[in-house]
Amino acid sequence: MGRPREGGGPGGGDRVPAPAGAADSLPSAPLPPVPPARSAHPGESGEVAAARQAGGDRLRFIGAATRRIARGIDLDEIVLGLCRATVPTFADAILVYLRDPLPVGDERPTGPVVLRLRRTDRIPEEPDTNGARLPVLPAQPDLGPAMGGSAAELAEVRPGGPLAEVLRGVRPLFGEAQAARTALPELLGPDPRLPSGHRVILAPLRGRRRVIGAAVFLRRPDRPAFEPDDLLVAAQLATHTALGVDKAVLYGREAYIADALQRTMLPDSLPQPTGVRLASRYLPAAETARVGGDWYDAIPLPGSRVALVVGDVMGHSMTSAAIMGQLRTTAQTLAGLDLPPQEVLHHLDEQAQRLGSDRMATCMYAVYDPVAHRITIANAGHPPPVMLHRGGRAEVLRVPSGAPIGVGGVDFEAVELDAPAGATLVLYTDGLVESRIRDVWTGIEQLRERLAETARLTGPNPPPLEPLCDEVLDMLGPGDRDDDIALLAARFDGIAPSDVAYWYLDPKAQTAGQARRLARRALARWGLDELTDQLELLVSEVVTNAVRYAERPITLRLLRTDVLRCEVGDDVPQLPRLRQARPSDEGGRGLYLVNRMARRWGATRLSMGKVVWFELSMPPGAPRP
């Protein structure tokens, strides 16, 4: 900063207090003149000793200021660090302009270069700790709309203009230099009120690849003017700030990609399968580590069943999230093949080994059948699920844990358990029950107690799912979360036997007529005669297609829930394909009718054939189960 000259400031006036949060080891104002001391070097004059001390002061200031700037992670922290490090130690005021938008990495910005006023700072005019006030000077510079002045908030850099030439030159300039005198009005506005003399420095901010902005340092007329060596200080501050801004922009882009990746890997919304209600939660480990390997999923299966999946890939990185996405996709594909839960885990284990020798994950895979009121569960090293029964009893289910996915060469075992109506199954990852202050089994017991306590509040009725998930997460105290948390809760409603009609039919020419009669009788029993004509037509088309190629008995099932669902199964694995029949074709219109008349329809391949299903909306006023 140089030796202060005569005038205002610490050498001859009020001391300038450092603002709160100033950088470590930064003096509150330019250092006062030091009387010539006995030189440590024989024959050295007092002026040389003073210059040596001033150089040391500059080095200490640059070191403290750059440390303050480097502590920032995001863009605002870095710019604030520059302002707090320089005001009032190096300058009385500062304006920081950055490109809008800021370029990221190697991308080439399109359109004109526009600089936006990102932040301003100046010496406050409030009383200091000693009760003295800083003098308000008429020549004090304006600092933009936020500070009550008139500096331009946006400045477009004209190609070949004065500002573009200064930015291209990269080196800081005094405001009195010819290039800076013509560039500053383009940056600050047509009529900037700036102090005269060497009291203004215009410093371009150059990142790793291009100029990304500019900083303007100002000193008031009652303060010493900048010295030539101060241009070197401004260059150092500008360089470290620009590199920090580059780092913050890249970090922000990475965080955005991480967030987008995580959102893409997890389901946007849960399905609404028949006979079960679902709720879920996902919490990252921390705001600074928003990517992890925890996931959950709910996959509708043939026969109104649903697969419930919760998994956890080791690590908290983009790699973990990518592996999680591959395992989740694999699980969805395997579920579409209607494989048993233990076979799904076996194939996931093989997939993890193909991804790498160190790709480890835990997973819980369960299949719920609302007609049979049963659930089949297989576990691969995951914490056990908890079942909350209708009466309020919470039970940790005994499921063989198995080895984690990725170990290889191990078998997985599935167990089949009762899933009574009104019960709630809670699947979760270990981040909910394990932390630095408690082991996993202590956390599981606390989860069981929290579920039972919540159920007691609602009496004989099961607690609503969404508040139940919130209550479960509230068991975590401050600082009691070291890992991601994925939570999936399933409330079993089931389908009553009286709402199910099921038949086996031989693949004969007369089967379509038989299927129509059976469907008509079922609708009459349920009081849904309004759907008779529509259902008979669609059942006849689907059954006819199944009979044409099937060799074994086909199945016909009707389910009455909030919709009327019809399922036809056969032993032919080829899925039907919707196509537009030509006028001369005798067939090929069955699925076209189903597609036009049904509320929804689909086909699913099974291990021993396929199921074609469709749904019809209930007529207004129809009796519901």
Side-chain angles (χ1 to χ4, degrees):
M1 285 75 68
R3 295 177 56 192
R5 303 173 184 175
E6 293 183 0
D14 297 330
R15 289 184 59 83
V16 181
D24 299 337
S25 304
L26 291 179
S28 60
L31 297 176
V34 179
R38 180 176 298 177
S39 173
H41 303 273
E44 187 178 73
S45 65
E47 292 185 358
V48 174
R52 182 186 298 276
Q53 180 177 350
D57 292 342
R58 286 191 178 90
L59 291 177
R60 284 191 294 271
F61 166 74
I62 292 174
T66 53
R67 286 194 300 271
R68 175 64 184 267
I69 295 169
R71 280 202 297 264
I73 296 179
D74 60 28
L75 190 61
D76 291 333
E77 288 180 348
I78 292 170
V79 175
L80 177 62
L82 171 66
C83 294
R84 294 293 172 83
T86 54
V87 178
T89 308
F90 181 70
D92 297 324
I94 183 174
L95 300 94
V96 182
Y97 283 82
L98 295 179
R99 291 182 66 159
D100 186 26
L102 279 165
V104 181
D106 294 326
E107 71 178 21
R108 293 183 176 274
T110 59
V113 177
V114 177
L115 301 183
R116 178 181 293 274
L117 183 61
R118 187 77 187 194
R119 188 176 181 88
T120 62
D121 202 358
R122 64 175 176 179
I123 297 177
E125 298 180 2
E126 290 76 16
D128 62 12
T129 54
N130 298 323
R133 297 184 67 89
L134 294 172
V136 180
L137 303 176
Q140 187 166 351
D142 296 324
L143 296 180
M147 306 296 290
S150 58
E153 185 177 359
L154 290 175
E156 181 176 344
V157 182
R158 294 181 289 104
L163 182 57
E165 293 299 323
V166 171
L167 296 179
R168 186 178 297 110
V170 178
R171 301 174 58 184
L173 299 173
F174 285 125
E176 293 295 311
Q178 177 62 33
R181 279 205 307 268
T182 56
L184 283 171
E186 187 177 347
L187 178 66
L188 305 179
D191 187 25
R193 291 181 292 167
L194 300 175
S196 58
H198 286 180
R199 291 183 171 84
V200 178
I201 292 179
L202 173 58
L205 303 179
R206 178 176 175 80
R208 292 175 176 83
R209 294 174 178 84
R210 59 182 64 86
V211 174
I212 60 173
V216 181
F217 304 94
L218 305 104
R219 282 187 184 176
R220 300 180 303 191
D222 65 327
R223 293 282 300 278
F226 290 113
E227 297 181 357
D229 287 344
D230 290 328
L231 292 177
L232 302 177
V233 176
Q236 289 288 330
L237 297 176
T239 299
H240 283 84
T241 302
L243 295 177
V245 169
D246 264 356
K247 174 189 68 177
V249 172
L250 290 173
Y251 174 81
R253 173 61 62 87
E254 181 180 352
Y256 171 79
I257 294 174
D259 269 350
L261 177 63
Q262 187 71 53
R263 287 194 301 268
T264 303
M265 295 303 179
L266 295 175
D268 293 332
S269 60
L270 293 174
Q272 298 178 352
T274 302
V276 61
R277 286 172 286 169
L278 302 173
S280 63
R281 294 290 187 275
Y282 175 80
L283 292 179
E287 286 299 321
T288 56
R290 289 174 282 188
V291 179
D294 294 18
W295 91 91
Y296 61 88
D297 212 344
I299 309 167
L301 300 177
S304 299
R305 295 171 300 149
V306 60
L308 307 173
V309 191
V310 169
D312 183 4
V313 178
M314 292 176 54
H316 300 89
S317 65
M318 301 280 282
T319 302
S320 301
I323 296 172
M324 177 266 285
Q326 296 182 70
L327 293 180
R328 178 176 176 240
T329 302
T330 303
Q332 290 178 330
T333 303
L334 296 171
L337 299 176
D338 200 27
L339 297 177
Q342 65 272 23
E343 290 296 323
V344 172
L345 294 184
H346 174 73
H347 289 293
L348 284 176
D349 180 59
E350 292 180 337
Q351 175 68 6
Q353 293 178 68
R354 284 191 290 268
L355 294 176
S357 58
D358 57 345
R359 307 311 188 195
M360 305 284 289
T362 63
C363 184
M364 182 78 66
Y365 188 92
V367 175
Y368 170 64
D369 188 340
V371 177
H373 296 271
R374 302 281 288 177
I375 186 168
T376 306
I377 308 176
N379 187 6
H382 205 75
V386 179
M387 179 82 79
L388 177 62
H389 294 272
R390 189 181 185 90
R393 180 174 63 92
E395 173 189 9
V396 179
L397 299 183
R398 297 182 179 181
V399 181
S401 61
I405 290 172
V407 172
V410 297
D411 293 329
F412 300 98
E413 183 180 353
V415 296
E416 188 174 348
L417 305 170
D418 288 330
T424 304
L425 183 70
V426 178
L427 304 175
Y428 53 91
T429 54
D430 58 356
L432 179 66
V433 295
E434 186 179 22
S435 68
R436 289 171 292 181
I437 62 176
R438 60 179 175 181
D439 61 84
V440 60
W441 288 107
T442 301
I444 292 174
E445 180 62 22
Q446 292 178 357
L447 172 61
R448 189 194 65 79
E449 293 175 354
R450 174 57 65 95
L451 290 172
E453 179 183 350
T454 304
R456 284 194 294 268
L457 298 176
T458 58
N461 298 319
L465 274 184
E466 296 294 340
L468 179 65
C469 291
D470 294 334
E471 287 292 332
V472 168
L473 295 181
D474 284 344
M475 65 180 280
L476 300 170
D480 192 20
R481 182 155 59 90
D482 307 322
D483 199 358
D484 298 10
I485 296 175
L487 175 67
L488 179 63
R491 173 72 43 77
F492 301 140
D493 295 331
I495 300 176
S498 59
D499 295 319
V500 181
Y502 194 90
W503 303 277
Y504 285 96
L505 304 175
D506 292 327
K508 300 184 300 184
Q510 300 83 2
T511 300
Q514 182 184 2
R516 289 194 297 269
R517 290 191 298 271
L518 294 173
R520 183 167 59 249
R521 293 171 187 172
L523 291 185
R525 185 171 68 250
W526 290 333
L528 300 175
D529 298 283
E530 297 180 39
L531 298 178
T532 300
D533 294 339
Q534 191 176 4
L535 180 63
E536 283 189 9
L537 175 60
L538 299 186
V539 165
S540 180
E541 295 293 341
V542 177
V543 170
T544 299
N545 288 338
V547 169
R548 179 176 302 174
Y549 305 104
E551 297 180 356
R552 298 178 182 178
I554 66 173
T555 59
L556 172 63
R557 184 165 75 167
L558 299 179
L559 301 173
R560 181 182 64 151
T561 57
D562 55 340
V563 297
L564 180 65
R565 182 182 177 98
C566 175
E567 300 173 350
V568 177
D570 58 57
D571 60 346
V572 181
Q574 286 79 15
L575 299 181
R577 180 172 57 89
L578 182 64
R579 63 185 180 89
Q580 187 71 36
R582 294 173 296 180
S584 59
D585 291 342
E586 295 182 0
R589 295 175 178 83
L591 286 182
Y592 178 76
L593 292 174
V594 173
N595 184 62
R596 292 297 299 267
M597 299 178 63
R599 178 175 178 265
R600 290 195 311 159
W601 78 279
T604 305
R605 182 179 286 110
L606 305 179
S607 57
M608 297 297 293
K610 68 175 180 297
V611 169
V612 180
W613 57 269
F614 63 85
E615 293 176 351
L616 298 177
S617 300
M618 289 290 191
R624 299 297 177 94

